[in-house]
Amino acid sequence: MTDRTAHTTVGTTTAGATADATAGTVWRGHGTGRRSTHTLRLRTSATLLAVTVLAVLLVPPLVPLDQQAVDLAAKLRPPGGAHPFGTDGVGRDLLLRCVYGLRVSLLVGVVAALTATVIGTAVGAAAGALGGRADRAIMRLVDTVSSVPHLLLGIFVVAMFRPGVWPVVVSVALTHWLSTARIVRAEILSLRSRPYIDAAVAAGASRWRVAVRHLLPGVLPHAGLAAVLMVPHAMWHESALSFLGLGLPAHTASLGILVQDARGSLLAGQWWPTLFPGLFLIVPTLAVAGLAGVWRERISPRHRSEVTR
């Protein structure tokens, strides 16, 4: 009986070890697959963003054409050798128009996103650090502004200025700081409960010093992520205003204006004046979203599965 029991115990232990090894292999394999997908997404997003930036920087000096040159004899030509993206309704090269339109959209998106992030970070940090009545008053202001649709508020802001790029930047910046303010406030409220904050307060540090030296550095990664995610959002907002004929002059090469001008061509069967400006909006959006997803996983490891480590 003793030998049989020992044999059974050994067999059970061996089977359990084999099962654990098999399970470990499966989990490691799953983790390897996740890491491969993560790396592929990072490389693809970085490549798309690099191609976008290089197109904005290199195509205008390398292509010896005037993006405003009108050639009615060459209007609505399909993509070909002389015009890789075809021409628009008045014979202008669509590749150059899209590149210049992307340049305008990127300028508006980056400047507006940075401005909105600074405003949102300041408001959220003030609300979270002050607390009490000040916090409630600031957040009621945020709720009041956010109750108005972004596009409607943006149209109201743009209408107060003459047409141009900077009124659109101001409009987008003043309507996109709200989410950043909420994110920063929530993160500061989380940081205020950490032991090192209690230790700093107990050591006699002022509220201003605690906010500047301890709370603000802790929220900067999240504010940076919010700024990156806001760039494509601001680009789409600018394109929507341009599509409606607001903000930018009609002769400006904006992706929204290009899509608006191509509506009649699309109904007539010419697809390229609409497709390529749309792709110039979608590709940077997907690239930034992919990079932002990787960034989010880096700064918030608690949202990642253990098998990816």
Side-chain angles (χ1 to χ4, degrees):
M1 292 295 293
T2 303
D3 294 341
R4 181 178 301 176
T5 303
H7 179 72
T8 303
T9 303
V10 172
T12 303
T13 304
T14 303
T18 304
D20 290 342
T22 303
T25 302
V26 172
W27 280 106
R28 285 194 296 272
H30 180 67
T32 302
R34 290 286 296 274
R35 284 192 294 270
S36 300
T37 303
H38 182 277
T39 303
L40 178 62
R41 182 177 61 176
L42 176 61
R43 291 178 178 176
T44 303
S45 301
T47 301
L48 290 177
L49 190 60
V51 169
T52 301
V53 173
L54 289 177
V56 171
L57 295 177
L58 299 181
V59 169
L62 292 180
V63 179
L65 294 174
D66 182 9
Q67 59 101 8
Q68 294 284 11
V70 174
D71 184 6
L72 296 178
K75 67 176 183 178
L76 292 177
R77 286 187 177 178
H83 303 284
F85 285 6
T87 59
D88 62 6
V90 292
R92 294 174 294 193
D93 184 76
L94 199 57
L95 173 59
L96 278 180
R97 296 283 290 173
C98 289
V99 170
Y100 278 93
L102 181 60
R103 177 180 292 184
V104 172
S105 297
L106 281 176
L107 173 65
V108 173
V110 172
V111 177
L114 291 177
T115 306
T117 301
V118 171
I119 297 173
T121 302
V123 173
L130 295 175
R133 294 181 178 178
D135 181 20
R136 290 192 293 271
I138 292 174
M139 295 315 296
R140 294 296 79 75
L141 173 63
V142 172
D143 293 339
T144 301
V145 177
S146 63
S147 64
V148 182
H150 285 178
L151 187 59
L152 181 61
L153 185 58
I155 291 174
F156 175 76
V157 174
V158 168
M160 296 189 297
F161 300 94
R162 297 182 62 183
V165 173
W166 296 111
V168 178
V169 171
V170 173
S171 171
V172 176
L174 293 180
T175 56
H176 286 73
W177 58 270
L178 305 169
S179 58
T180 304
R182 289 194 176 97
I183 292 172
V184 171
R185 173 184 176 269
E187 190 63 23
I188 283 186
L189 292 179
S190 175
L191 292 175
R192 284 176 57 182
S193 62
R194 304 291 175 85
Y196 67 90
I197 300 296
D198 296 334
V201 174
S206 64
R207 180 174 295 181
W208 173 257
R209 182 178 179 83
V210 170
V212 173
R213 294 293 300 274
H214 301 288
L215 296 180
L216 195 57
V219 302
L220 287 182
H222 298 272
L225 176 61
V228 171
L229 288 173
M230 203 181 301
V231 171
H233 192 174
M235 290 174 58
W236 283 89
H237 197 89
E238 178 273 326
S239 297
L241 290 175
S242 300
F243 182 83
L244 295 175
L246 302 170
L248 297 178
H251 67 275
T252 304
S254 168
L255 296 178
I257 292 178
L258 293 180
V259 174
Q260 198 273 342
D261 291 341
R263 290 184 302 169
S265 302
L266 182 63
L267 295 176
Q270 288 87 16
W271 48 268
W272 54 93
T274 305
L275 174 65
F276 292 114
L279 288 179
F280 269 68
L281 269 176
I282 294 173
V283 170
T285 300
L286 294 178
V288 172
L291 293 177
V294 175
W295 189 350
R296 184 188 295 113
E297 292 178 358
R298 293 290 179 86
I299 67 175
S300 300
R302 63 181 178 273
H303 296 301
R304 293 181 293 177
S305 175
E306 291 293 331
V307 298
T308 63
R309 295 181 180 177

